[in-house]
């Protein structure tokens, strides 16, 4: 299966504009052969915690929100799946609160699954409710997928559970501010034996400056494709006969790290992109 990770500088607080840009990238990825596209953490609003706090009702989303119609329509028109992330109304299975939610839409535009970020970071704790420990699994066209959001990846039990559940592809929607942090996803793939897609935020936000460098790694940790500009797509084949496609870049596997991946703006304890101590 050909998959894509998408990256673009979200328009702050403008869900309609971001949904339109997301839909355009879904169509572009499908035109290049992708069957699934993943997007960054809070890509539907921008990682703008102050703006979300100022007017949560304006920012909160449900899977069937009319403002996300362009995303659902793009999936339906192209026959692909997409994982998008934004402030979701209530953790999945509850009636109130707000979560950092990933909605996965299938090729018919219907919701395949929802995952709510379990491990909140910093100011996120003041705005959002953590999602349940379990969840974030779906099977699509013969492959089993796991979902995680940024700081979730700092906790080894998250990818360990995905590996124990026999997931073959791990989708991470994140907001990191240094390339070294994005490079850590190679070790995540290598240590757990599954393909990893990282969709990372880009541009200045209230939580820092997203560094982009979204990418795809093979199950042995080798790099298959990266987004090197501010916006764009990285595509690669995962599953049987996985490999890079045109526009991807390969590189050597960095030294395996058993340490967690840090959250975006946090800097303490980090040296050279690794977790110290």
């Amino acid at each position: 299966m050909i998959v894509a990770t998408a990256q673009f500088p979200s328009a702050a607080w403008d869900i309609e504009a971001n949904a339109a840009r997301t839909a355009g990238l879904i169509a572009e990825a499908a035109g290049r052969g992708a069957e699934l596209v993943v997007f960054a953490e809070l890509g539907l609003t921008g990682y703008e915690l102050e703006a979300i706090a100022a007017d949560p009702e304006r920012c909160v989303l449900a899977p069937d929100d009319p403002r996300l119609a362009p995303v659902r329509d793009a999936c339906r028109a192209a026959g692909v799946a997409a994982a998008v992330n934004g402030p979701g109304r209530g953790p999945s299975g509850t009636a109130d609160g707000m979560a950092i939610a990933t909605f996965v839409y299938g090729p018919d535009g219907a919701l395949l699954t929802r995952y709510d970020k379990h491990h909140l970071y910093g100011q996120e704790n003041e705005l959002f409710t953590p999602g349940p420990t379990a969840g974030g699994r779906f099977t699509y066209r013969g492959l089993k997928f796991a979902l995680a959001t940024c700081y979730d990846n700092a906790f080894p039990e998250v990818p360990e559970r995905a590996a124990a559940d026999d997931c073959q592809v791990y989708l991470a929607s994140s907001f990191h501010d240094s390339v070294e942090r994005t490079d850590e996803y190679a070790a995540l793939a290598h240590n757990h034996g599954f393909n990893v897609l990282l969709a990372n935020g880009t541009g200045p936000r209230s939580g820092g400056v997203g560094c982009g460098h979204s990418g795809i790694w093979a199950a042995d940790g080798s790099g298959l494709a990266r987004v090197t500009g501010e916006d764009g797509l990285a595509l690669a084949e995962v599953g049987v006969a996985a490999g890079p496609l045109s526009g991807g870049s390969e590189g050597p596997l960095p030294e395996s790290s058993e340490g967690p991946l840090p959250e975006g703006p946090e800097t303490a304890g980090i040296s050279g992109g690794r977790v110290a101590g």
Side-chain angles (χ1 to χ4, degrees):
M1 179 192 299
I2 298 173
V3 295
T5 179
Q7 170 183 307
F8 69 95
S10 299
W13 218 12
D14 193 337
I15 292 171
E16 290 85 353
N18 294 326
R21 182 73 174 109
T22 297
L25 285 166
I26 291 170
E28 180 182 345
R32 294 169 61 182
E35 298 179 68
L36 178 142
V37 193
V38 61
F39 292 84
E41 181 180 25
L42 294 178
L44 292 170
T45 56
Y47 193 91
E48 301 287 352
L49 301 186
E50 286 83 0
I52 295 169
D55 194 351
E57 279 303 311
R58 175 180 172 183
C59 296
V60 72
L61 294 161
D64 60 353
D65 194 296
R67 294 170 293 179
L68 299 184
V71 176
R72 297 189 296 268
D73 290 345
C75 289
R76 191 178 301 112
V80 302
V84 300
N85 188 283
R89 186 176 300 281
S92 51
T94 71
D96 52 19
M98 183 168 61
I100 297 178
T102 297
F103 302 145
V104 181
Y105 297 107
D108 60 355
L111 188 72
L112 275 177
T113 194
R114 167 179 171 163
Y115 172 72
D116 294 335
K117 185 176 184 178
H118 179 64
H119 299 283
L120 301 176
Y121 178 81
Q123 188 183 349
E124 294 172 2
N125 288 281
E126 302 171 15
L127 294 175
F128 301 104
T129 301
T133 302
R137 305 285 185 270
F138 66 99
T139 300
Y140 175 61
R141 294 184 176 169
L143 293 177
K144 190 169 184 180
F145 291 79
L147 296 162
T149 307
C150 208
Y151 197 39
D152 285 331
N153 300 296
F155 296 83
E157 62 269 23
V158 174
E160 286 169 1
R161 282 196 300 265
D165 289 342
D166 297 321
C167 294
Q168 298 151 286
V169 187
Y170 187 91
L171 307 179
S173 298
S174 298
F175 186 86
H176 295 301
D177 63 359
S178 72
V179 176
E180 289 81 8
R181 298 182 187 190
T182 68
D183 289 342
E184 288 286 348
Y185 286 85
L188 189 72
H190 176 263
N191 291 341
H192 300 287
F194 44 51
N195 294 101
V196 172
L197 277 72
L198 165 67
N200 193 42
T202 184
R205 298 285 172 252
S206 64
V209 180
C211 70
H213 279 78
S214 301
I216 305 174
W217 291 266
D220 64 0
S222 57
L224 298 178
R226 297 296 288 268
V227 179
T228 56
E230 186 178 44
D231 58 10
L233 296 164
L235 293 92
E237 187 173 8
V238 298
V240 179
L245 299 175
S246 177
S249 61
E250 296 185 72
L253 173 67
E255 293 182 11
S256 177
S257 168
E258 295 296 334
L261 291 166
E263 178 77 0
E266 178 65 21
T267 57
I270 306 302
S271 175
R274 303 289 176 183
V275 176

